[in-house]
């Protein structure tokens, strides 16, 4: 059977992809089990819309040592128990299945905050031993990275993404509710020194808080050779306070940066990447035109206003081993429980394929539309899902 591009969503109540059928297929324990994909579907993590997931995002923990306003409440969240979270050996096995059986070509370790796991270096070393050529990146808030960057590189980490929303202590503390800016900056520098490059920085702009700082943040990143990506705030905050009206859009970000810079099309293929990249030149204040050489690049991840769902290549595994086919899915399918029951690699791979086959078309729905009337925000925040 060939994959049909643009295959429509099954009608309500059909076997493939409906919430009702998934619930009907649940195990006796009440854990959701995806309906079986049609016979003859190709190998790999395909969905009904002709997309194949080759980029794996795996969360190591739901815990975090910051309390960013766009992610979690000031008092934090109720963390998973240690027993509920995947062990090192379970993580290594799941990655092995993804790479060897299902065509995963790159891995991003996420959280929560991955650095809070005491066995982080051992996890990376275990994955690297199995996959000498697999690109392994990690997203972190950078707190404590200065002490671990060299060990992470030695264990086999390829590169790193660091969340950095402001270079000003007061703004940083307001956004993260923690006075750790100096520690984050030390971590960024340590990652660069350890060879975890290209070092990428992720910034979420919040209206009236750090949006006016965006040109200065880009200036700082360009001067140090870091790749900055601005991310539209998404409805993944634990407080459910997000509104489309209040978020800073990609168009506004480009306008903010135009104060000092000219953005031109990056000639490289996007190749399924979430960020649209732009070449950056300085703007001549007298003429308003670009002047001088390309200083570097900047990326904008516009999940809300300029979605890229049609070319999504990501599959997500939460810290407790649940498969999330879409960042905004309201259904999750258990992989870790099946593993702990003694399932074979083939059985685990088949469960994973079934879960990805029913991936929503976009934003957890059959159409794009974050903030639309029919959009329902996931119960989990970003820290609990794993970005």
């Amino acid at each position: 059977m060939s994959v049909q591009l643009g295959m429509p969503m099954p009608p309500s109540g059909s076997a493939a992809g409906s919430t009702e059928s998934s619930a009907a297929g649940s195990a006796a324990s009440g854990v959701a089990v995806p309906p079986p994909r049609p016979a003859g579907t190709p190998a790999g993590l395909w969905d009904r819309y002709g997309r194949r997931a080759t980029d794996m995002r795996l969360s190591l923990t739901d815990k975090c040592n910051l309390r960013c306003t766009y992610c979690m409440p000031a008092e934090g969240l109720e963390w998973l128990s240690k027993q509920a979270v995947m062990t090192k050996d379970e993580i290594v096995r799941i990655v092995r299945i993804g790479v060897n059986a299902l065509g995963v070509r790159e891995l991003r370790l996420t959280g929560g905050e991955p650095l809070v796991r005491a066995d982080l270096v051992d996890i990376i070393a275990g994955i690297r031993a199995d996959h000498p050529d697999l690109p392994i990146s990690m997203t972190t808030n950078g707190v404590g990275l200065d002490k671990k960057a060299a060990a992470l590189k030695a264990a086999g980490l390829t590169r790193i993404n660091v969340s950095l929303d402001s270079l000003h202590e007061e703004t940083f503390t307001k956004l993260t509710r923690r006075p750790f800016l100096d520690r984050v900056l030390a971590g960024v520098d340590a990652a660069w020194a350890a060879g975890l490059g290209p070092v990428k920085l992720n910034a979420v702009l919040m209206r009236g808080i750090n949006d006016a700082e965006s040109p200065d943040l880009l200036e700082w990143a360009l001067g140090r050779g870091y790749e900055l990506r601005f991310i539209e705030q998404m409805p993944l905050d634990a407080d459910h306070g997000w509104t489309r009206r209040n978020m800073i859009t990609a168009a506004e970000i480009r306008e903010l940066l135009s104060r000092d810079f000219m953005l031109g099309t990056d000639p490289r293929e996007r190749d399924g990447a979430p960020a649209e990249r732009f070449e950056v030149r300085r703007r001549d204040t007298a003429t308003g035109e670009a002047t001088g050489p390309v200083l570097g690049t900047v990326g904008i991840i516009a999940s809300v206003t300029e979605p890229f769902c049609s070319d999504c290549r990501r599959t997500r595994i939460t810290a407790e081993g649940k498969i999330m086919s879409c960042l905004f899915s309201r259904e999750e399918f258990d992989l870790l429980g099946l593993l702990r029951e003694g399932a074979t690699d083939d059985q685990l791979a088949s469960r994973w394929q079934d879960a990805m086959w029913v991936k929503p078309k976009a934003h957890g729905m059959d159409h794009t539309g974050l903030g639309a009337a029919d959009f329902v925000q996931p119960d989990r925040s970003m820290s609990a899902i794993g970005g």
Side-chain angles (χ1 to χ4, degrees):
M1 170 183 168
S2 61
V3 174
Q4 299 179 38
L5 294 176
M7 187 182 299
M9 292 284 284
S12 177
S14 65
S18 72
T19 302
E20 292 79 11
S21 64
S22 296
S26 294
S29 63
V31 175
V33 175
R37 65 198 181 284
T41 54
L45 297 172
W46 291 92
D47 65 36
R48 297 160 293 167
Y49 300 98
R51 301 169 296 190
R52 185 180 185 183
T54 56
D55 178 356
M56 180 179 177
R57 307 293 175 94
L58 185 143
S59 177
L60 300 181
T61 180
D62 61 327
K63 295 178 180 177
C64 188
N65 44 16
L66 298 183
R67 298 291 182 269
C68 297
T69 57
Y70 51 78
C71 184
M72 67 172 65
E75 65 275 13
L77 298 168
E78 184 177 347
W79 309 128
L80 294 167
S81 68
K82 184 177 181 180
Q83 293 73 27
V85 175
M86 293 181 290
T87 66
K88 184 204 82 166
D89 290 343
E90 290 166 344
I91 290 168
V92 170
R93 183 180 175 192
I94 287 173
V95 172
R96 186 186 306 130
I97 292 168
V99 174
N100 293 347
L102 298 173
V104 167
R105 297 172 188 163
E106 57 183 303
L107 171 67
R108 172 84 62 85
L109 301 175
T110 68
E113 175 45 55
L115 288 171
V116 305
R117 278 200 65 146
D119 58 352
L120 175 60
V121 171
D122 293 336
I123 290 170
I124 293 170
I127 297 170
R128 178 57 71 207
D130 279 350
H131 312 289
D133 301 318
L134 179 69
I136 306 173
S137 60
M138 185 176 80
T139 297
T140 173
N141 62 32
V143 178
L145 181 59
D146 57 327
K147 298 178 177 64
K148 295 184 178 180
L152 295 172
K153 175 66 176 179
L157 189 66
T158 308
R159 65 169 188 82
I160 207 151
N161 288 39
V162 181
S163 298
L164 180 63
D165 300 320
S166 176
L167 296 172
H168 299 280
E169 181 69 51
E170 182 178 353
T171 306
F172 180 92
T173 301
K174 184 175 183 178
L175 284 168
T176 66
R177 302 186 178 105
R178 295 292 186 272
F180 294 161
L181 176 59
D182 288 346
R183 296 170 66 178
V184 174
L185 295 179
V188 172
D189 291 341
W192 180 266
L196 290 170
V199 173
K200 295 185 178 182
L201 306 176
N202 298 335
V204 177
L205 297 183
M206 303 290 284
R207 193 175 301 280
I209 299 176
N210 65 336
D211 49 339
E213 299 175 15
S214 52
D216 295 334
L217 183 57
L218 178 56
E219 180 83 50
W220 181 86
L222 291 169
R224 288 159 176 78
Y226 305 145
E227 295 188 16
L228 178 61
R229 292 112 56 84
F230 292 101
I231 304 174
E232 287 185 338
Q233 184 198 5
M234 293 178 282
L236 291 168
D237 58 312
D239 290 328
H240 287 214
W242 179 93
T243 65
R244 181 161 178 153
R245 181 182 65 257
N246 287 335
M247 59 163 283
I248 304 291
T249 67
E252 289 177 286
I253 293 169
R254 291 189 289 267
E255 180 64 26
L256 287 165
L257 298 180
S258 70
R259 185 194 76 184
D260 299 328
F261 303 103
M262 292 284 289
L263 305 185
T265 302
D266 189 305
R268 293 173 292 178
E269 289 289 332
R270 188 164 177 175
D271 196 28
E276 182 179 6
R277 293 171 301 202
F278 300 90
E279 290 186 334
V280 182
R281 287 182 168 85
R282 197 164 304 282
R283 175 188 289 276
D284 186 287
T285 55
T287 66
E289 300 297 324
T291 181
V294 173
L295 303 173
T297 61
V298 66
I300 298 177
I301 300 177
S303 301
V304 180
T305 63
E306 299 168 14
F308 40 87
C309 303
S310 63
D311 197 25
C312 179
R313 305 179 191 181
R314 281 161 291 289
T315 183
R316 287 179 168 80
I317 306 292
T318 68
E320 74 272 43
K322 301 288 181 61
I323 304 161
M324 288 191 70
S325 59
C326 171
L327 187 58
F328 298 95
S329 290
R330 295 188 61 79
E331 282 189 309
E332 304 168 13
F333 301 108
D334 187 36
L335 194 63
L336 182 59
L338 192 64
L339 184 157
R340 290 179 176 177
E341 290 170 1
T344 66
D345 285 1
D346 286 345
Q347 290 171 322
L348 293 168
S350 183
R351 167 69 62 83
W352 201 340
Q353 288 176 287
D354 288 346
M356 291 304 295
W357 184 255
V358 296
K359 178 174 182 169
K361 187 174 184 179
H363 295 158
M365 305 180 289
D366 62 357
H367 62 89
T368 58
L370 294 182
D374 57 345
F375 172 74
V376 180
Q377 182 172 336
D379 294 329
R380 290 178 182 259
S381 67
M382 179 64 92
S383 66
I385 295 171

